[in-house]
């Protein structure tokens, strides 16, 4: 794959009460690895975890670029895919991954929001650079409050937009975590939140212990392992409850 080297020193953290710097990295396909030389698919732009973790910015977006407006932020998605390799640990006050087709966190990958973040974007209006669709996947781990994702529902066909969090992968935050996929939201990893707000979105949401046909499937055990102060479940079509649920809520 191709390689992007980030050796410059960037210092763009916020002053008290201010909005800190953000770094947007745009390309067609990304692989985030531990070190150069790790395997990557041809055509992927390779980023290393160490270089990303050394950046002194409040917010990092991989997979597109942002245009901040008065009431919302346009999220222009350029990447077809973003893959985080096994064992990669990423940390910043806020990390976003965006893709039109797929985002994959392999086993052992960890994304954590670390550091103070007083302000952030609250509404993302998604637009794909390569076509007129707004389909895709978005992962956001932030020490700020939760954000909303706006997609044009009339243009969603459930053909693209998969978020795959593998078993053994982990997301950590005391602020907010957002996992949004216009097709399938496959979640088998771990979420570490003792407080904060968690939002899970997909083309279809099924609650209960049964096999489903794509979308997001949350078993009773999975729901009871989530320790966020607030849980938001959003479906781009239907929320189905498959049988009785015994939920342990705060």
């Amino acid at each position: 794959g191709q390689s992007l080297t980030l050796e410059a020193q960037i210092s763009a953290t916020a002053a008290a009460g201010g909005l800190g710097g953000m770094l947007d990295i745009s390309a067609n396909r990304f692989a985030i690895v531990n070190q150069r030389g790790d395997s990557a698919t041809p055509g992927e732009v390779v980023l290393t975890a160490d270089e990303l973790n050394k950046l002194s910015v409040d917010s990092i977006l991989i997979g597109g670029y942002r245009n901040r407006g008065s009431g919302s932020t346009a999220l222009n998605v350029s990447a077809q895919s973003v893959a985080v390799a096994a064992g990669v640990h990423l940390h910043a006050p806020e990390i976003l991954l965006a893709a039109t087709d797929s985002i994959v966190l392999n086993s052992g990958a960890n994304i954590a929001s670390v550091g103070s973040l007083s302000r952030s974007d609250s509404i993302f209006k998604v637009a794909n650079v390569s076509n007129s669709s707004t389909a895709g996947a978005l992962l956001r781990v932030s020490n700020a409050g939760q954000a909303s994702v706006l997609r044009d529902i009339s243009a969603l066909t459930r053909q693209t937009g998969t978020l795959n969090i593998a078993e053994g992968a982990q997301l950590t935050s005391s602020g907010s975590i957002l996992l949004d996929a216009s097709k399938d939201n496959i979640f088998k990893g771990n979420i570490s939140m003792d407080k904060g707000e968690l939002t899970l979105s997909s083309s279809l949401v099924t609650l209960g212990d049964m096999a489903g046909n794509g979308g997001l499937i949350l078993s009773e055990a999975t729901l009871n392992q989530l320790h966020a102060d607030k849980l938001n479940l959003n479906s781009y079509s239907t929320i189905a409850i498959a049988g009785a649920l015994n939920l342990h809520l705060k």
Side-chain angles (χ1 to χ4, degrees):
Q2 304 173 58
S3 178
L4 176 62
T5 302
L6 301 172
E7 294 183 347
Q9 297 294 319
I10 300 176
S11 181
T13 53
L19 190 60
M22 59 185 188
L23 176 66
D24 298 345
I25 305 176
S26 180
N28 188 42
R29 299 170 69 190
F30 285 100
I32 304 173
V33 301
N34 275 316
Q35 58 186 2
R36 302 195 183 280
D38 289 351
S39 61
T41 302
E44 290 180 326
V45 172
V46 176
L47 303 171
T48 68
D50 184 58
E51 289 173 351
L52 291 170
N53 290 335
K54 289 180 179 178
L55 298 172
S56 295
V57 295
D58 277 6
S59 180
I60 301 172
L61 165 64
I62 299 171
Y65 58 93
R66 290 166 280 190
N67 292 323
R68 281 175 168 156
S70 59
S72 62
T73 296
L75 179 59
N76 304 287
V77 182
S78 61
Q80 179 182 349
S81 63
V82 178
V84 183
V88 165
H89 288 203
L90 297 176
H91 57 80
E94 179 175 84
I95 296 175
L96 298 95
L97 308 180
T100 61
D101 189 13
S102 66
I103 296 172
V104 177
L105 265 66
N106 287 287
S107 180
N110 186 309
I111 298 180
S113 59
V114 176
S116 61
L117 182 65
S118 58
R119 296 175 60 196
S120 180
D121 302 297
S122 59
I123 300 175
F124 291 104
K125 296 182 68 174
V126 176
N128 292 340
V129 173
S130 61
N131 55 56
S132 60
S133 172
T134 63
L138 175 64
L139 180 152
R140 176 179 179 264
V141 179
S142 175
N143 269 347
Q146 191 56 277
S148 300
V149 178
L150 302 181
R151 300 183 188 272
D152 182 1
I153 297 178
S154 64
L156 299 182
T157 62
R158 291 192 63 182
Q159 299 301 308
T160 59
T162 297
L163 183 58
N164 191 339
I165 311 296
E167 184 175 357
Q170 180 160 309
L171 304 174
T172 304
S173 178
S174 58
S176 60
I177 293 177
L178 183 147
L179 304 177
D180 180 275
S182 61
K183 184 183 178 185
D184 296 333
N185 195 336
I186 305 167
F187 182 79
K188 297 182 180 179
N190 303 309
I191 288 180
S192 178
M193 292 187 83
D194 290 329
K195 56 182 180 179
E197 186 170 349
L198 172 63
T199 296
L200 305 174
S201 304
S202 189
S203 60
L204 168 68
V205 177
T206 302
L207 307 180
D209 299 303
M210 67 172 292
N213 295 317
L216 171 65
I217 303 171
L218 295 170
S219 68
E220 178 181 292
T222 297
L223 287 165
N224 285 327
Q225 288 173 1
L226 302 176
H227 299 295
D229 285 343
K230 183 177 181 180
L231 173 63
N232 305 308
L233 299 177
N234 297 326
S235 171
Y236 289 111
S237 61
T238 303
I239 295 179
I241 299 177
L245 293 172
N246 182 18
L247 301 181
H248 305 154
L249 303 177
K250 285 189 176 183

